[in-house]
Amino acid sequence: MDKSPDAFRTISEVAEDLDLPQHVLRFWETRFTHIKPMKRGGGRRYYRPLDVDLLKGIRHLLYDQGYTIKGVQRLLRENGTQFIIALGSGDTAAAEAISQQKQASARQEEALAAEQDRVDADEEAAVMGTSKSAPQGRRLFGLIKGDDEGPVAADGKRLSKDNRTLLQETLFDLLECKRLLDQVR
């Protein structure tokens, strides 16, 4: 009596199905963290159907396609287990679709990161008074307006150009600290 396709397989059944020695499957568990058979009492391994499919994909890449272990590890890291399973089952259309989806996702993430960098640069430029889009009277939170305008010191005199530059540099340092803190969160 054959097992159901959804049934768990022992290591001997998987080894026989893949035409591999059992020690190779145990070795692959140490090299591919995605292979995680369920272990019962006495250390007996039971492979889920997805584990078996992943093993078929790994076997196909290593033995039929000539990949190295590091090459398969890279493919797993970059494309995920479904990609390897699709390759192992011979479903090149699904593997291509997964690859294109990953590439589109990576491009979208790059575009979002570039947009965030642009927004951050615009905000910094507006605060520092270097943005063309920032109104002249509102640069540096109203601290730097023109040579004859600007913040007034405690004694009622206008701040010198050097003092305004120091204030601007301090604000820049604070903004950089805020940016670093925002990245950590």
Side-chain angles (χ1 to χ4, degrees):
M1 183 165 116
D2 288 333
K3 284 188 176 181
S4 161
D6 296 333
F8 286 33
R9 307 275 190 242
T10 64
I11 191 168
S12 60
E13 291 172 327
V14 175
E16 185 180 322
D17 186 36
L18 296 177
D19 193 28
L20 292 171
Q22 294 178 20
H23 71 271
V24 170
L25 296 176
R26 289 188 202 98
F27 174 73
W28 285 358
E29 285 178 36
T30 66
R31 296 295 181 245
F32 303 105
T33 58
H34 297 85
I35 303 172
K36 296 177 187 161
M38 193 174 78
K39 293 185 182 175
R40 299 294 268 193
R44 287 187 53 108
R45 290 166 168 81
Y46 291 95
Y47 291 88
R48 297 169 192 86
L50 279 176
D51 292 331
V52 175
D53 292 340
L54 179 59
L55 287 167
K56 285 179 184 177
I58 290 171
R59 183 193 186 290
H60 171 73
L61 291 171
L62 290 173
Y63 290 13
D64 300 336
Q65 298 298 315
Y67 277 83
T68 62
I69 288 177
K70 285 189 179 192
V72 176
Q73 288 171 337
R74 184 177 49 82
L75 283 175
L76 269 167
R77 187 174 48 253
E78 291 174 358
N79 298 301
T81 58
Q82 292 300 320
F83 179 77
I84 304 299
I85 291 170
L87 287 176
S89 66
D91 191 355
T92 55
E96 183 65 28
I98 291 168
S99 178
Q100 287 176 356
Q101 182 182 13
K102 293 283 185 183
Q103 290 173 357
S105 177
R107 283 193 300 271
Q108 185 179 18
E109 286 178 18
E110 287 174 10
L112 288 173
E115 176 65 19
Q116 185 61 43
D117 288 346
R118 187 190 63 74
V119 167
D120 291 345
D122 285 351
E123 288 174 356
E124 186 175 298
V127 170
M128 296 306 295
T130 58
S131 173
K132 294 182 182 358
S133 63
Q136 284 295 92
R138 304 243 6 203
R139 290 186 175 166
L140 197 58
F141 295 114
L143 293 177
I144 296 179
K145 294 181 180 172
D147 288 339
D148 57 341
E149 301 177 37
V152 179
D155 60 1
K157 296 181 182 176
R158 300 273 176 214
L159 290 177
S160 69
K161 203 171 199 176
D162 290 338
N163 284 340
R164 285 185 290 187
T165 302
L166 284 173
L167 247 174
Q168 189 173 7
E169 289 173 0
T170 303
L171 182 59
F172 177 76
D173 290 343
L174 288 170
L175 288 170
E176 181 63 16
C177 289
K178 180 187 179 298
R179 185 186 67 80
L180 291 172
L181 285 171
D182 288 342
Q183 284 180 344
V184 171
R185 289 186 215 157

